[in-house]
C-alpha cells in the first residue's frame, strides 16, 4: 500500500465516524421531539425514522430497541441541562451564577421554540425508563443537583446549612424545568422581560422587608374535598404515588392492581382504563390544591399570611410522602390530549395564586412582582417539594424543612 493510501484510509474512517455521530444525534433529537409531543408511550421507531428520512431498519442500526433510543434521548437532555446549569463553571458569586443560568436557560428555550434545538421535556420521562438505565440516570440527575448546591453553600457548613443549599439547588432545577410548560404563554420577544422578572423574584423573593414565616394552621375539616368512593380513592392514592415514582408509562395497570392485591378485573370494574385513572389522579390533586387555597384565602389576616398558610399546608402534603400530589413532571409526560386538560387545570390553580398575589401587592403585604410569573413558580415549588422527602434527615423537623424549601422563593435565594 502506498503512502497516499495509508493517509486516506484513516481520513475516510474519521469521516464515516463523523457521519455516524451526526446521524445518531439527529435520531436522538427527533426522538426528543416525539416524546415531548406524545410522551414516552408515543415514541416509535417508525415515527422517528420518518422524521429523519430513514427506514425503520436503518434506525435500528443505531438503536436496536425503542428503549435504547429513549435512554439516549433522556441522557442527551440531561447533558444539555447540565450545560445550562454549568455547576463547574468558573467561580462567581451565587447571584452572578444564578443570572448566568437563567440567561442560558432562556437562550435554550428560544432555540427550542424556533426549532433549532430539541426540547428538554424528555427529562420528565427518566423515571419511566427500564432498569438499569432508570436508576443510573436518576442518580446522575441528583448528582447534578448536588454539584449545583455547592454554588449556593459552603462545603463545611452544618447539616441544615448543607440542606438549605441542596434545597436551593433542587428548587432552581425544578423551576427551570417547570418553566418549559408556562413559557408557552409568552412570545420569544417577551423572553428578555420574563427573564428579568424571574431573576428579580428569585433574587429578592415575594416578601416585603421585615416579613416573617409564621403560617397559620388551616382548619382540618376544610382541608380535603369529598372522596368519590373507597375503592376508587385507593386506586387514586396508589396510582399517584406510582406515577410520581415511575412516570406515566411505568405506572402500569398490573403494578397498580398488584400493590392493592386486587385483580385487573377489579380495576376495570371501577375505571375504564389507565388514562381515565391518571386523569382522575390529576383532578384529585388539583381539587386538593384548590381546597387548601380556598381555605387559606378565607382566613383572617394579611394576604401574606394567607399565602404562607396555603403554601405550608400544600408543602406538608408533599414532604409527608404518604398521600402526595401528582408531580408536574408527570404532567409533562402525558399524551397530548390529557396534557392539555391537566395544564388547563394547573393554569386555573396558578391564576388563583396570581389573584392573591395581586391583592397582596395592593395591600402592601407582598412585594411588587409579576403575579403571573410568581404564581407559576409557586406551582413549581409545591410540585417539586416531594423530592425533598428523602432528604428530610438534614432538618430537625418537618416544619423546618418546609420553611427552608419555601424560603428561597418567599425571601430570595440569597437571604
Amino acid at each position: 500500500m502506498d503512502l497516499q493510501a495509508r493517509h486516506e484510509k484513516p481520513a475516510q474512517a474519521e469521516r464515516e465516524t463523523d457521519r455516524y455521530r451526526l446521524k445518531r444525534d439527529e435520531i436522538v433529537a427527533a426522538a426528543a421531539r416525539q416524546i415531548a409531543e406524545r410522551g414516552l408511550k408515543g415514541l416509535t421507531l417508525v415515527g422517528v425514522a420518518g422524521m429523519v428520512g430513514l427506514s425503520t431498519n436503518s434506525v435500528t442500526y443505531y438503536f436496536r430497541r425503542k428503549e435504547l433510543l429513549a435512554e439516549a434521548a433522556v441522557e442527551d437532555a440531561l447533558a444539555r441541562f447540565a450545560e445550562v446549569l454549568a455547576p463547574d463553571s468558573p467561580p462567581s458569586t451565587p447571584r452572578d451564577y444564578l443570572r448566568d443560568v437563567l440567561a442560558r436557560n432562556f437562550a435554550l428555550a428560544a432555540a427550542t421554540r424556533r426549532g433549532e434545538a430539541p426540547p428538554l421535556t424528555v427529562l420528565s420521562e427518566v423515571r419511566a425508563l427500564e432498569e438499569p438505565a432508570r436508576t443510573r440516570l436518576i442518580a446522575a440527575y441528583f448528582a447534578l443537583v448536588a454539584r449545583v448546591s455547592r454554588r449556593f453553600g459552603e462545603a463545611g457548613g452544618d447539616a441544615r446549612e448543607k440542606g438549605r443549599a441542596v434545597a436551593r439547588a433542587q428548587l432552581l432545577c425544578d423551576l427551570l424545568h417547570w418553566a418549559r410548560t408556562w413559557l408557552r404563554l409568552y412570545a420569544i420577544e417577551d423572553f428578555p422581560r420574563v427573564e428579568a422578572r424571574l431573576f428579580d423574584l428569585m433574587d429578592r423573593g415575594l416578601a416585603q422587608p421585615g416579613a416573617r414565616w409564621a403560617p397559620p394552621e388551616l382548619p382540618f375539616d376544610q382541608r380535603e374535598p369529598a372522596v368519590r368512593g373507597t375503592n376508587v380513592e385507593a386506586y387514586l392514592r396508589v396510582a399517584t404515588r406510582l406515577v410520581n415514582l415511575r412516570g406515566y408509562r411505568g405506572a402500569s395497570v398490573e403494578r397498580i392492581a398488584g400493590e392493592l392485591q386486587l385483580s385487573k378485573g377489579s380495576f376495570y370494574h371501577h375505571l375504564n382504563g389507565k388514562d381515565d385513572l391518571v386523569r382522575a389522579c390529576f383532578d384529585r390533586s388539583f381539587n386538593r390544591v384548590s381546597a387548601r387555597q380556598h381555605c387559606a384565602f378565607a382566613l383572617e389576616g394579611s394576604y401574606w399570611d394567607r399565602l404562607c398558610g396555603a403554601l405550608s399546608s400544600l408543602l406538608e402534603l408533599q414532604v409527608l410522602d404518604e398521600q402526595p400530589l401528582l408531580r408536574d413532571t408527570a404532567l409533562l409526560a402525558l399524551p397530548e390530549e390529557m396534557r392539555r386538560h391537566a395544564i388547563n387545570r394547573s393554569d386555573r390553580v396558578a391564576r388563583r395564586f396570581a389573584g392573591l398575589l395581586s391583592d397582596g401587592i395592593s395591600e402592601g403585604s407582598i412585594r411588587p412582582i409579576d403575579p403571573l410569573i410568581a404564581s407559576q413558580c409557586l406551582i413549581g415549588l409545591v410540585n417539586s417539594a416531594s423530592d425533598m422527602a428523602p432528604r428530610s434527615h438534614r432538618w430537625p423537623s418537618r416544619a423546618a424543612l418546609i420553611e427552608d424549601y419555601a424560603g428561597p422563593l418567599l425571601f430570595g435565594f440569597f437571604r
Side-chain angles (χ1 to χ4, degrees), residues 40-62:
L40 192 57
K41 184 180 178 182
L43 175 66
T44 65
L45 294 180
V46 173
V48 170
M51 294 171 71
V52 298
L54 293 176
S55 67
T56 305
N57 284 340
S58 296
V59 172
T60 59
Y61 172 72
Y62 296 87

Side-chain angles (χ1 to χ4, degrees), residues 9-40:
K9 204 165 187 179
Q12 180 180 357
E14 185 175 343
R15 286 195 299 272
E16 289 173 353
T17 300
D18 289 342
R19 283 198 296 270
Y20 176 90
R21 189 181 300 112
L22 288 171
K23 182 55 70 174
R24 184 187 183 280
D25 290 347
E26 187 180 353
I27 292 170
V28 170
R33 290 187 170 93
Q34 193 174 77
I35 293 171
E37 292 173 3
R38 307 178 186 177
L40 192 57

Side-chain angles (χ1 to χ4, degrees), residues 216-226 284 287-296 309 312-314 316-317 320 398:
E217 186 173 349
L218 302 192
F220 180 80
D221 60 352
Q222 296 184 46
R223 286 188 175 188
E224 296 291 353
R284 174 178 180 267
N287 288 342
R288 297 173 78 197
V289 173
S290 295
R292 282 165 169 73
Q293 283 181 315
H294 288 305
C295 183
S312 176
S313 175
L314 291 168
E316 185 178 25
L317 276 180
L320 274 174
R398 188 170 64 244

Side-chain angles (χ1 to χ4, degrees), residues 5 32 41 62 71 101 106 167 195 239 244 287 368 379 402 413-414:
K41 184 180 178 182
Y62 296 87
E71 178 184 342
V101 168
F106 274 83
E195 179 185 338
N244 283 348
N287 288 342
I379 297 297
I402 290 172
F413 270 61
F414 314 109

